[in-house]
């Protein structure tokens, strides 16, 4: 299976053979994924999805995927990792591996199953046969293919039909600095049965400022009438590379409310893909990114309206300062039969510095006539009238700017599922802005 | 308290204020009236430190300080308050947060202690009543999606909270129906005191039926051309601004 | 004397310098190589620099690959099967009468109220005489000469003002720009040259409509407009009547140059033959149009009404180099039947305080496929740049497609950029309201569509706007139901 892997990614898949699970269907999917990596090679700026995103910095690092789990996180370190006041069913992954002794899964109600992917593959692989890779599919994009080919662990959360889970499931992915730069490729599978309701919080963070790469893929499948609130918060180390793929599939009448926050990492690429399997489903994708000095925040949304009567909202906001860069590439596709589609995409950017840069590309592809589709983009700076108004009330200029930025960000932050999370994120954003050169 | 001497100011190449003299003592309420384009709003903006105006001559002292040398927030911290003609919408900026930040920055500048959350909330609820405002307002973003009347009431509410020494009401009556006008005027009257001065800038006499001024000034072509008591406002209403202009030209 | 020659004679005799190009009586065999390029240049008696420029472009073209556009579908073009220099068809090859023409086309002519002789000319039938426009054009020329305005064919300009042409041609769209621009630079047949001297306001709208003799130049047309400091010109291209052409591939290049305080307004009504109901025989319209706002406070405004062609691929663009310069793009594009259009604009903000406006209205009916593709780039030094983009699609019928692909690249924080796009259909409520006031469904649709396009029509010169509205109504007849 080795051989002609694209240079730069070969080391990601050194692991490919060693974790051969001996499960036929899984091995077949991984072989296919490896093949997809070979086929695609390393994309260049000529590839539409990589027009504004340079992979050079990532490839230069020579990231390795470790064979053995390295989970050097002490219970004492947990303090730093948890959100004060957030009560959750907690799953902790360290460097891509599930750590049961730090996780907190005792109180799960009946009908809810949360476990490590590797252990589930060992104990009950059949549960995953129709679920793992089911949403992402065989036609995998490069990094999803790498994740699948190099798959070793992650989290599986299954909520049975009709179950209303009150407390959120919190998935905390911690990266701990290692001697050599490593890549972690966790794979998460979230499945809600018909009528089930749940909150899932995914957080990616690190202790310290070390260099590493996270290439995570989360697959979400919502049954008929299911409701999922899904917060995904990335506060990786300032030296880190973060690649994240979300694959979402919704059955009829289901609702998905997703909030994506990109606050850390030096280079972050997020691909969000949503498809509908039944009518009257709603998909709400909200996002906020902060791109400061030397940071790249790169978002790609692909919402596929292939059935009628579904609604989607794509609302992303960014704040850029220093030499920060952001890319927003959103696509809403409406198939010929998808009448009564209601889609609205918006990308708004606030630029605070001379050398920040934003490239935005909100696209609509519409093949049905009875639809309501719109998109809007703005790039601008803080309005002088707003600043003056605040100053005329006695507020200093730097604080006024920060308040306006927080106000801008607040619309997204307030969508987060838990108060404790909103408070923590607001504070973090405030801190980031405080240290940012705002002129 | 406020002393304006020979104030001249430009917007771009155009001179708007042409040698304005104006004095306000403690507790006094002054009305400045004048036709459109006479420089009323420019005057209010220059006092509060808005950008886009160039002062070419004259001086403004407030509480013994050179007002023109101060940043807008320093003026506010000193006790100056401008009620905007067009209050600015701040989408996403929570009203409570905004008010607390403003109040505490002013208190800090005065050497007072910052208010904690509990006493702050008590204070704003008390002040809300003066303006007959609902406390749902506190959860909303500043002025965003407010009706015209709500915006103006919110301005006066801010004034009640920030307790300025000198308040400038820039065409606070514009766009208000009579009921809203009454509410706003009641709020303003409730805030009158021996330590608080006000400058009421307006085009119409009717606001002065509700807010009785001690002095009325007529501004024309960037200068105060006539001053008098509140009867001057009535005379103006009757004869129109043309009368003053004609007189001004004759003089 | 053949009737074609008769036309040529009239043309020659009426224009002092010959409005028409020197038309050779033969046609070069299909195919393209350096000899063909040389032969084109030689036949037109061009100066040496032009021949060299053509060859350079040809050599560069050879190194390029034909672009593939994901949103546009058509069979592969065989560039060696095209004849790159052809005299007008001999009468025996041309259609003999209107009976041989697609009856739908004739119907449209009749609806537009086009006289029978004009219909024949438009349909490519050999005619005995050219109608009124020739003499009208002559009168115009005198007025223009008085103002110092040069308005002539590009071949003519190469003879009479070679230095002017040399200075400007290819300076906005270099031959290296894209595949079709390179091809055009190598083999361009003819086109228009306009020069407005310093401080001159061109006394009339300039229109190619009056240059009917430029037949067969449609294929690889080249237009160059230079507006010197403080001048103004409004230029109208095309006409509302559907034009037939035996050449399927059209690859024109238009270059506009506006110096300090100059303004160029360029309006296009493009109504080339879209092909029959199955899309057969329609024109491929692959055009490169670009304006260079070279001087401070200059302004270039593109307005287009695109209803014709089987495939349209064009992005009239503005390079906003001068400080405070202004770029505008107003577009109505209609695709119906099996038409495909991939059109939009590029606004490249380079100078300070530059501003641009984009208003694009796309109407897609039947199995029409339409794509708006636009780029707004705000460069590192473009302080205070402003852009507003409004991009709306109207869909009629459930088999059509409307895509919107805006690219927005901002590298300066003081930029203010707004982009809005909507896609909608004509609502039943709107239709019902109109009909309950006594309008037929067709009139109601036409009224709603014209309302949808109003912002763009307002930018067209008056008489053009009226024709464009009529054209739009006719284009969409039968599209609803």
């Amino acid at each position: 299976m080795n051989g002609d892997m694209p240079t730069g990614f070969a080391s990601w898949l050194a692991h490919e053979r060693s974790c051969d699970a001996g499960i036929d269907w899984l091995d077949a999917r991984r072989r296919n994924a490896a093949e997809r990596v070979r086929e695609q090679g390393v994309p260049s700026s000529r590839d539409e999805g990589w027009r504004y995103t340079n992979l050079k910095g990532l490839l230069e690092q020579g990231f390795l995927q470790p064979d053995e789990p390295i989970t050097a996180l002490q219970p004492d370190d947990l303090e730093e990792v948890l959100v004060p006041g957030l009560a959750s069913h907690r799953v902790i992954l360290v460097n891509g591996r599930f750590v049961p002794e730090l996780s907190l899964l005792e109180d799960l109600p009946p009908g809810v199953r949360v476990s490590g992917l590797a252990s589930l593959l060992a104990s009950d692989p059949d549960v995953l046969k129709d679920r793992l890779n089911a949403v992402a599919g065989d036609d995998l994009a490069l990094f999803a293919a790498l994740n699948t080919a190099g798959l070793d662990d992650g989290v599986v959360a299954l909520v049975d039909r009709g179950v209303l889970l009150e407390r959120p499931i919190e998935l905390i992915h911690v990266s701990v600095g290692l001697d050599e730069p490593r890549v972690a490729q966790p794979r998460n599978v979230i499945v809600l049965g018909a009528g089930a309701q749940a909150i899932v919080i995914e957080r990616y963070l690190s202790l310290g400022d070390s260099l590493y790469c996270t290439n995570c893929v989360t697959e979400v499948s919502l049954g008929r009438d299911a409701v999922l609130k899904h917060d995904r918060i990335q506060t990786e180390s300032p030296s880190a590379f973060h690649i994240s793929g979300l694959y979402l599939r919704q059955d009829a009448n289901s609702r998905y409310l997703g909030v994506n926050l990109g606050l850390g990492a030096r280079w972050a690429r997020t691909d969000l893909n949503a498809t509908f399997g039944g009518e009257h489903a709603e998909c709400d994708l909200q996002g906020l990114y902060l791109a400061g000095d030397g940071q790249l925040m790169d978002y790609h949304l692909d919402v596929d309206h292939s059935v009628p009567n579904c609604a989607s909202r794509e609302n992303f906001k960014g704040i850029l300062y220093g030499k920060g860069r952001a890319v927003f590439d959103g696509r809403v596709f409406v198939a010929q039969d998808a009448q009564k589609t209601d889609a609205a995409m918006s990308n708004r950017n606030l630029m605070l510095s001379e050398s920040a840069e934003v490239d935005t590309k909100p696209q609509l592809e519409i093949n049905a006539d009875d639809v309501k589709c719109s998109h809007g983009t703005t790039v601008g700076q803080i309005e002088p009238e707003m600043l003056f108004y605040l100053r005329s009330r006695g507020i200093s200029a730097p604080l006024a700017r920060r308040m306006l930025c927080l106000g801008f960000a607040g619309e997204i932050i307030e969508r987060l599922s838990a108060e404790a999370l909103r408070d923590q994120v607001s504070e973090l954003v405030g801190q980031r802005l405080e240290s940012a050169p705002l002129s | 308290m406020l002393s304006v001497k020979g104030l001249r100011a430009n917007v771009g190449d155009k001179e708007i204020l042409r040698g304005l003299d104006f004095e306000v003592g403690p507790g006094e309420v002054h009305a400045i009236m004048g036709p459109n384009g006479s420089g009323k709003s420019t005057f209010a903006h220059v006092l509060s430190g808005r950008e886009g105006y160039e002062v070419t001559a004259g001086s403004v002292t407030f509480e013994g300080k050179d007002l023109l040398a101060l940043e807008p927030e320093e003026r506010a911290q000193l006790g100056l308050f401008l009620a905007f003609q067009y209050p600015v919408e701040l989408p996403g900026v929570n009203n409570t947060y905004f008010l607390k930040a403003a109040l505490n920055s002013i208190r800090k500048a005065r050497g007072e202690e910052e208010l904690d959350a509990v006493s702050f909330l008590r204070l704003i609820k008390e002040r809300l009543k003066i303006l007959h405002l609902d406390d749902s307002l506190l959860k909303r973003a500043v002025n965003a999606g407010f009706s015209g009347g709500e915006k103006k009431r919110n301005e006066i509410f801010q004034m009640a909270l920030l307790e300025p020494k000198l308040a400038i009401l820039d065409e606070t009556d514009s766009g208000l129906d009579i009921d809203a006008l009454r509410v706003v005027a009641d709020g303003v009257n409730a805030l009158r005191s021996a330590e608080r001065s006000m400058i009421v800038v307006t085009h119409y006499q009717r606001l002065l039926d509700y807010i009785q001024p001690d002095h009325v000034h007529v501004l024309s072509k960037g200068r105060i051309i006539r001053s008098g008591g509140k009867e001057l406002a009535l005379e103006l209403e009757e004869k129109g601004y043309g009368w003053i202009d004609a007189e001004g030209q004759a003089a | 004397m053949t009737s074609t020659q008769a036309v040529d004679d009239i043309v020659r005799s009426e224009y002092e310098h010959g409005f028409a190009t020197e038309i050779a009586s033969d046609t070069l065999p299909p195919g393209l190589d350096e000899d063909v390029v040389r032969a084109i240049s030689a036949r037109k008696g061009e100066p040496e620099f032009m021949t060299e420029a053509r060859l350079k472009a040809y050599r560069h073209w050879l190194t390029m690959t034909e672009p593939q556009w994901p949103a546009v579908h058509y069979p592969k073009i065989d560039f060696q099967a095209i004849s790159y220099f052809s005299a007008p068809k001999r009468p025996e090859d041309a259609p003999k009468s209107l009976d041989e023409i697609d009856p739908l086309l004739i119907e449209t002519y009749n609806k537009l109220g086009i006289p029978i002789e004009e219909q024949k000319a438009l349909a490519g039938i050999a005619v005995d005489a050219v109608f009124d426009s020739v003499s009208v054009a002559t009168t115009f020329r005198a007025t223009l000469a008085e103002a110092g305005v040069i308005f002539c064919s590009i071949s003519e300009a190469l003879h009479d003002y070679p230095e002017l042409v040399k200075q400007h041609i290819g300076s906005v769209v270099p031959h290296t720009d894209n595949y079709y621009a390179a091809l055009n630079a190598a083999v361009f047949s003819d086109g228009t040259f306009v020069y407005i001297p310093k401080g001159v306001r061109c006394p009339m709208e300039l229109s190619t409509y009056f240059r009917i003799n430029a037949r067969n130049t449609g294929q690889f047309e080249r237009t160059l407009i230079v507006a010197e400091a403080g001048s103004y010109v409004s230029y109208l291209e095309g006409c509302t009547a559907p034009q037939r052409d035996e050449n399927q591939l059209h690859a024109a290049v238009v270059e506009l140059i506006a110096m300090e305080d100059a303004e160029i307004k360029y309006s296009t009504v493009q109504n080339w033959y879209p092909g029959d109901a199955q899309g057969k025989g329609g024109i491929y319209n692959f055009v490169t149009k670009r304006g260079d706002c070279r001087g401070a406070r200059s302004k270039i405004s593109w307005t287009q009404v695109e209803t014709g062609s089987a495939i349209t691929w064009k992005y009239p663009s503005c390079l906003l180099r001068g400080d405070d310069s202004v770029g505008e793009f107003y577009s109505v594009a209609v695709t119906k039947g099996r038409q495909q259009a991939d059109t939009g604009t590029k606004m490249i903000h380079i100078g300070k305080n530059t501003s641009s406006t984009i208003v694009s209205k796309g109407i897609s009916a039947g199995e029409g496929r339409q794509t708006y593709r636009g780029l707004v780039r705000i460069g590192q030094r473009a302080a205070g740049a402003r852009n507003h983009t409004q991009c709306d699609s109207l869909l009629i019928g459930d088999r059509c497609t409307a895509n919107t692909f805006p690219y927005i690249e901002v590298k300066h924080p003081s930029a203010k950029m707004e982009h809005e796009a909507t896609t909608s259909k004509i609502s039943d409520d709107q239709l019902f309201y109109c009909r309950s006031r006594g309008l037929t469904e067709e009139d109601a649709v036409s009224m709603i569509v014209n309302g949808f396009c109003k912002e763009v029509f307002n930018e067209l010169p008056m008489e053009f706007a009226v024709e464009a509205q009529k054209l739009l109504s006719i284009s969409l007849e039968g599209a609803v139901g």
Side-chain angles (χ1 to χ4, degrees), chain C residues 250-446:
Chain C
H250 283 221
V253 170
V254 176
E255 296 178 281
L256 311 182
I257 298 163
M259 307 307 281
E260 216 170 85
D261 294 300
E263 179 177 348
I264 303 175
K265 197 170 159 57
Y266 194 105
S267 312
T268 305
V269 172
Q270 184 269 111
N271 195 16
W272 292 106
Y273 185 55
D276 62 17
Q278 273 70 50
K280 253 171 69 182
I283 303 288
Y284 297 170
N285 194 26
F286 301 153
V287 183
T288 307
K289 288 182 165 177
R290 192 171 304 149
D292 187 355
C293 284
R294 222 169 259 183
R297 296 169 303 280
S298 55
K299 177 175 175 184
I300 289 179
S301 178
W302 299 98
T303 306
Q304 60 174 26
V305 176
E306 303 277 328
T307 60
S309 297
I311 302 172
T312 299
W313 174 90
K314 66 183 259 197
Y315 315 95
S317 308
C318 295
L319 300 171
L320 301 168
R321 253 193 253 277
D323 291 350
D324 300 290
S325 59
V326 177
E328 294 177 337
F329 174 74
Y330 297 94
S331 170
V332 165
V334 180
T335 47
K336 61 177 196 296
R338 296 194 181 235
Q339 279 178 285
Q340 307 175 55
D342 194 317
T343 183
T345 184
K346 294 178 194 171
M347 293 291 175
I348 314 292
H349 292 254
I350 302 163
K352 293 189 179 57
N353 296 316
T354 47
S355 72
S356 60
T357 303
I358 300 171
V359 177
S360 166
K361 304 282 182 178
I363 301 157
S364 205
E367 290 180 55
R369 297 178 63 90
Q370 189 163 145
T371 299
Y372 167 83
R373 197 184 296 272
L375 169 69
V376 175
R377 178 181 290 152
I378 295 181
Q380 252 150 10
R381 281 178 295 279
R386 295 280 174 272
N387 166 267
H388 182 83
T389 301
Q390 177 70 47
C391 176
D392 299 323
S393 308
L394 192 68
L395 297 158
I396 302 175
D398 59 2
R399 316 223 32 103
C400 53
T401 302
N403 301 328
T404 318
F405 300 146
Y407 293 72
I408 298 147
E409 304 174 4
V410 182
K411 291 188 171 63
H412 200 285
S414 64
K416 198 161 175 179
M417 216 295 317
E418 295 168 327
H419 173 105
E420 287 172 68
T422 61
T423 302
S424 54
K425 68 172 212 160
I426 298 177
S427 81
D428 294 342
D429 290 347
Q430 288 172 316
L431 276 182
F432 173 72
Y433 185 80
C434 293
R435 294 172 73 186
S436 71
R437 297 286 177 273
L439 291 169
T440 65
E441 179 155 323
E442 243 163 36
D443 287 346
V445 168
S446 147

